[in-house]
Amino acid sequence: MVKYRDGEKMLDALGLPLRRSMVRRLWHGGAMSLSKLAAPYELTLPAALKHLRVLEDSGIVKSHKRGRVRVCIYNPSALKELGGWLASHSAFWESSFDRFEAIINKKKKN
Amino acid sequence: MVKYRDGEKMLDALGLPLRRSMVRRLWHGGAMSLSKLAAPYELTLPAALKHLRVLEDSGIVKSHKRGRVRVCIYNPSALKELGGWLASHSAFWESSFDRFEAIINKKKKN
DNA sequence: CCTATACTTTACTTTATGGTAAAGTATCGG
DNA sequence: CCGATACTTTACCATAAAGTAAAGTATAGG
């Protein structure tokens, strides 16, 4: 089961057009190596790896090493769950609101 | 009817924790003025206005002037539609993929 | 009217993060 | 083994976007 914390991470991850495009590539083209994933963009491998890590950390993408190749795979269930939450706009917004407000209030001087 | 283009804008808008918090405030606390919306954060009014504009442009939030006060309102249907798309991961990903790839390919020299 | 309020605009400054190059590590293929 | 390949790490840079201050506009209230 995914938690609302992952919802936040997913929204952060999807906040960049480039990363959304990478997700689409994986969703469209199936599993592929990091190099192949990065190929259409004017990106060095380190940059592509950084973005992959953000996507992986959010749960939208999975990856594993097969020899010297990093195989990247789209994880449909992650966005399906995020979508479910947004559609019903319930648990996700409620709980993360409280967390965020707590931080903000601590920061303010009153 | 909202288009997939708005889905892109919504994801861009929700890509910042601060803006997500603002959406939660409006969802939680109902309609409020820009000043009241901005109050919990260490933000000047111009900065808050910028973020409001991004949210408004995406359709997640609506606003109108009532005298000298800008009243901000959460629009539940926007995120509901985005959620529906993500949950069914179909139209949104398909169509915006083509658009984005076209731009990328034009940029690359081959 | 006159002052205060509530933005809004303009013209910047600052900083976070997206990007790179270069060197390092691990695996493959002959 | 040995060179080539496919990342990975480290250290740094460049800029877009988030932020500000200051001045401008419009409305409210006495």
Side-chain angles (χ1 to χ4, degrees):
Chain A
M1 230 291 222
V2 187
K3 285 157 193 150
Y4 60 80
R5 215 180 97 248
D6 299 317
E8 296 273 313
K9 283 187 176 182
M10 281 190 244
L11 289 173
D12 279 335
L14 294 174
L16 246 72
L18 170 64
R19 281 200 291 261
R20 289 199 294 275
S21 174
M22 289 174 100
V23 173
R24 277 178 219 119
R25 257 176 82 62
L26 291 171
W27 156 245
H28 225 239
M32 63 181 81
S33 72
L34 181 58
S35 323
K36 198 182 172 206
L37 176 62
Y41 316 107
E42 288 191 336
L43 263 186
T44 56
L45 231 38
L49 182 61
K50 271 192 193 178
H51 290 297
L52 177 72
R53 292 250 149 98
V54 174
L55 288 169
E56 222 181 334
D57 189 49
S58 77
I60 296 169
V61 165
K62 304 269 173 201
S63 88
H64 58 89
K65 245 354 202 351
R66 186 161 199 167
R68 60 195 158 157
V69 175
R70 178 160 296 278
V71 179
C72 312
I73 308 161
Y74 171 63
N75 172 27
S77 66
L79 287 187
K80 204 162 186 172
E81 288 207 39
L82 177 64
W85 271 324
L86 289 177
S88 65
H89 44 74
S90 57
F92 169 64
W93 294 107
E94 297 284 355
S95 37
S96 36
F97 173 82
D98 297 335
R99 255 189 334 111
F100 194 87
E101 289 308 283
I103 295 157
I104 290 294
N105 291 334
K106 201 169 281 174
K107 223 177 172 183
K108 285 209 72 176
K109 62 275 172 182
N110 35 266
Chain B
M1 228 292 223
V2 186
K3 286 158 190 148
Y4 58 81
R5 215 181 95 247
D6 300 317
E8 296 273 314
K9 282 188 176 181
M10 281 189 243
L11 289 173
D12 280 333
L14 295 174
L16 246 71
L18 171 64
R19 280 199 293 259
R20 289 198 295 274
S21 174
M22 289 173 101
V23 173
R24 278 178 218 118
R25 257 175 82 61
L26 291 172
W27 157 243
H28 225 239
M32 63 181 81
S33 72
L34 181 59
S35 325
K36 199 184 172 204
L37 176 62
Y41 317 107
E42 289 191 336
L43 264 186
T44 57
L45 230 38
L49 182 61
K50 271 192 193 177
H51 289 297
L52 178 72
R53 293 250 150 99
V54 174
L55 288 169
E56 222 182 332
D57 189 50
S58 78
I60 296 169
V61 165
K62 304 266 172 204
S63 88
H64 58 91
K65 254 332 205 9
R66 184 161 201 166
R68 60 194 160 162
V69 176
R70 178 160 295 277
V71 181
C72 312
I73 308 161
Y74 170 64
N75 173 25
S77 67
L79 287 186
K80 204 162 187 172
E81 288 206 41
L82 177 64
W85 273 323
L86 289 177
S88 65
H89 44 76
S90 56
F92 171 63
W93 294 110
E94 297 285 358
S95 39
S96 35
F97 173 82
D98 297 335
R99 256 189 333 112
F100 195 87
E101 290 307 284
I103 295 156
I104 291 295
N105 291 335
K106 202 168 281 176
K107 223 176 171 182
K108 284 209 71 175
K109 65 274 174 183
N110 35 262

